[in-house]
Amino acid sequence: MSSAVVTDPAQLPVVFQDALNSGDVDAVLALFAPGAAMRTVSGELVTGPGALRAEIGGTVAARGRLTNVQRHTLVGAGTALLVTDWTLEIDTPTGDRISPTGTTANIARQDPSDGGWRFALLNPLGTA
């Protein structure tokens, strides 16, 4: 698992993008706080380490290519709201390449043990 610590919450979406695009599932999972949840593009809520690993692994296997553009970052006491525009190019089971897009409002928490920021909730609902 990656040991990189993200010290600026505004960088979290780009670090996530880079880890996913490199196919490094462990580095992506290291960006989730304990108990984190992720909503999929289709609207399903994924929780727990095993389910997150399966979802991220499936995205990597489908040649997922993510582009994140950070629009707004609001930081409070150990919590941040990250508003991000995203595009995900991905192969469908039928072999088509699709590019769903959207704007997400993610929640990140700062870990008091290392000061690093990690996602508590990824919420990438958008348009297909």
Side-chain angles (χ1 to χ4, degrees):
M1 192 172 283
S2 174
S3 61
V5 174
V6 179
T7 58
D8 177 359
Q11 293 301 310
L12 199 53
V14 173
V15 173
F16 183 91
Q17 161 198 293
D18 293 347
L20 183 73
N21 291 348
S22 72
D24 190 341
V25 174
D26 287 330
V28 173
L29 293 173
L31 299 173
F32 286 94
M38 179 177 77
R39 188 170 307 281
T40 66
V41 174
S42 64
E44 176 187 354
L45 189 63
V46 178
T47 61
L52 288 169
R53 177 173 291 282
E55 184 66 29
I56 298 300
T59 301
V60 168
R63 299 186 319 121
R65 179 96 182 134
L66 180 64
T67 302
N68 281 331
V69 177
Q70 186 59 20
R71 284 200 334 191
H72 303 287
T73 304
L74 180 61
V75 181
T79 303
L81 172 66
L82 309 168
V83 179
T84 309
D85 293 328
W86 60 270
T87 301
L88 178 64
E89 295 179 42
I90 194 164
D91 291 341
T92 67
T94 61
D96 296 321
R97 187 101 173 136
I98 60 170
S99 298
T101 64
T103 298
T104 179
N106 298 318
I107 304 295
R109 285 191 302 227
Q110 190 173 30
D111 187 321
S113 69
D114 65 6
W117 289 88
R118 292 176 182 84
F119 288 114
L121 174 65
L122 270 91
N123 193 31
L125 288 178
T127 59

